Amino acid sequence: MTPSLSPDQAAALRHIGAWFRSRSAPYLTLGGYAGTGKTTLIASLRQKLRELDPELRVAFCAYTGKATRVLQERLREQRVPRKKDSVSTIHALIYEAAESMGGTPVWTRKATLERDFIIVDEASMIDEAIWRDLLSFGIPILAVGDHGQLPPVGSSFSLMKQPHVALEHIYRQAENSPIIELATLARTTGVLPVREYGAGVRKLDRAQPETGLMVQELLESWRPDLLVLCGYNQTRVRLNAAIRGFRDAESPAPQSGDRVVCLRNNRIKKIYNGMIGRLVRCTPASVTDDPDGLWYEVEIELEGEDYPYAGYVARAQFGALETLREVPLAPDGQRGDLWDFGYALTVHKAQGSQAERVLLFEERFARSSEEDWRRWLYTAVTRAQTELTVVGPAPLAELEPAPRLQP
């Protein structure tokens, strides 16, 4: 059964249908703010495509494994995928592994794809290199994303900055969501008043003494379903140290069980900036292989992925204020990787993540434009699925430095 559509969803569907029939361009971008019903529109589109061509093979894909699983769940709820369709990461869709001379798997672009149409979700995360590879197959692509979010980390390329088609009216089922209310305020005004917005959704004035106690309680009881976000790297480092202290970490050095975040892409090993994982094993590299003590040899269980990471990671990156720029070759002669503690993240690193609960520290960069600030705040707020606590200044209040946290 085709879902009922709002007027702007129906107009968007007509636009997409006309493009697909004419093939007037190799791709089309569909932007939609949080709560505008992008998945409902995709469900209707898939039904229309089935009527147009029952044999059409559609590939649904997303940038990360976690985003792909969220997409798959939403599509199933809408009874979207057909028997010949596929749902996967972009990487699994367009790349294949081949053994290199040294035994390390090298991922190369496939020669062909047995698909007639590609729908990419969370397209605001896609970098230029992967987008170029997607286009190389000559298959029509609908790129779907949130045009209110930040562009990809460390890139001027932004596929969703000016989408061809945009959904901007909040879908009726989302109108009463307190998180959508906060997201709309962030996107349209950049100002979040201090108050309770609904069950588990609130903005706290950081100048009030009780705020510090409430924040400490959240950090002391940290669980993987809590995403802690901030703006500055120095705040991130302090928060990571505090949370590890509350968890009785035995050493400032990483250890088994620590939550970690990837800071640099390595397409050969299928790891990407912002990926989250849990250290399964972490030992200093042998003195023979690493006389200068620059590396840890680790195994990491990747969140939302069906494969682990194993390799050498730079010791100096853990707890560092900036991402290392000059990194020597690892003991195996390959490019070493950069990971850091991942209990707290900057909003830029969390673009592909969502969590049941989010604790957000509002921190505006001195040189950020009003548009950049609104995108930052909107991206942060929309990481939350159920509960959201924002800590920041009351509107018009004078900004103060964040208090130093101690475990």
Side-chain angles (χ1 to χ4, degrees), residues 241 243-253 255 258 343:
I243 294 170
R244 293 188 76 240
F246 291 135
R247 290 169 58 81
D248 298 323
E250 297 176 0
S251 164
Q255 55 196 48
D258 266 323
Y343 299 98

Side-chain angles (χ1 to χ4, degrees), residues 166-182:
L167 298 175
E168 299 187 347
H169 178 72
I170 303 301
Y171 198 51
R172 62 182 179 272
Q173 293 175 340
E175 287 178 348
N176 296 323
S177 164
I179 291 176
I180 295 298
E181 180 184 354
L182 266 173

Side-chain angles (χ1 to χ4, degrees), residues 78-398:
Q78 299 272 7
R79 299 180 181 178
V80 172
R82 314 310 304 173
K83 185 178 292 186
K84 294 184 179 180
D85 294 348
S86 63
V87 184
S88 69
T89 62
I90 297 171
H91 199 285
L93 176 66
I94 68 174
Y95 300 117
E96 59 188 355
E99 290 296 321
S100 70
M101 291 294 291
T104 302
V106 175
W107 294 84
T108 58
R109 194 174 65 227
K110 295 177 181 177
T112 59
L113 291 182
E114 295 183 356
R115 292 291 177 267
D116 305 304
F117 187 34
I118 298 173
I119 298 179
V120 184
D121 195 30
E122 297 287 355
S124 58
M125 296 173 60
I126 297 176
D127 62 31
E128 190 170 8
I130 288 182
W131 180 242
R132 191 166 53 243
D133 283 352
L134 274 164
L135 289 173
S136 70
F137 294 96
I139 299 171
I141 302 172
L142 177 65
V144 183
D146 189 330
H147 55 301
Q149 291 187 23
L150 292 165
V153 180
S155 172
S156 59
F157 177 79
S158 180
L159 186 60
M160 299 306 302
K161 188 171 185 179
Q162 294 182 317
H164 298 114
V165 184
L167 298 175
E168 299 187 347
H169 178 72
I170 303 301
Y171 198 51
R172 62 182 179 272
Q173 293 175 340
E175 287 178 348
N176 296 323
S177 164
I179 291 176
I180 295 298
E181 180 184 354
L182 266 173
T184 303
L185 283 171
R187 176 173 55 80
T188 58
T189 71
V191 177
L192 305 180
V194 173
R195 66 179 177 87
E196 296 282 336
Y197 290 83
V201 180
R202 58 194 175 178
K203 162 77 177 285
L204 304 177
D205 182 355
R206 68 183 182 195
Q208 298 302 313
E210 59 269 24
T211 295
L213 295 174
M214 296 173 74
V215 167
Q216 183 162 320
E217 287 178 3
L218 282 170
L219 297 181
E220 285 180 335
S221 60
W222 184 91
R223 301 192 308 265
D225 68 345
L226 175 64
L227 186 60
V228 181
L229 301 176
C230 59
Y232 297 125
N233 273 315
Q234 61 184 8
T235 306
R236 174 186 60 82
V237 171
R238 289 204 313 268
L239 287 166
N240 275 320
I243 294 170
R244 293 188 76 240
F246 291 135
R247 290 169 58 81
D248 298 323
E250 297 176 0
S251 164
Q255 55 196 48
S256 296
D258 266 323
R259 186 178 179 87
V260 291
V261 59
C262 178
L263 301 186
R264 189 177 66 180
N265 294 347
N266 186 335
R267 290 173 64 183
I268 291 176
K269 294 185 177 179
K270 289 209 302 182
I271 57 170
Y272 300 100
N273 206 336
M275 266 188 169
I276 299 295
R278 183 183 66 86
L279 277 174
V280 176
R281 178 176 59 86
C282 180
T283 58
S286 70
V287 175
T288 303
D289 295 334
D290 180 27
D292 296 322
L294 302 178
W295 301 96
Y296 291 117
E297 192 170 1
V298 306
E299 182 178 341
I300 298 171
E301 180 184 87
L302 299 173
E303 186 176 285
E305 308 294 345
D306 58 4
Y307 58 91
Y309 164 86
Y312 290 97
V313 301
R315 296 179 69 161
Q317 186 62 70
F318 286 88
L321 290 176
E322 301 292 341
T323 303
L324 301 180
R325 296 182 181 276
E326 300 295 329
V327 184
L329 289 178
D332 59 2
Q334 304 294 319
R335 177 186 178 187
D337 295 308
L338 302 180
W339 293 76
D340 196 0
F341 298 115
Y343 299 98
L345 306 174
T346 62
V347 172
H348 283 83
K349 284 288 187 286
Q351 284 171 252
S353 298
Q354 282 192 309
E356 287 293 321
R357 303 181 300 142
V358 168
L359 170 60
L360 168 64
F361 294 87
E362 272 191 35
E363 294 184 319
R364 181 168 180 170
F365 299 102
R367 296 181 181 179
S368 66
S369 65
E370 191 62 31
E371 180 186 355
D372 288 343
W373 167 247
R374 292 181 185 185
R375 285 184 180 275
W376 184 94
L377 192 57
Y378 174 77
T379 302
V381 167
T382 52
R383 300 310 88 202
Q385 295 173 307
T386 306
E387 298 181 17
L388 171 64
T389 299
V390 182
V391 178
L396 303 181
E398 186 174 328

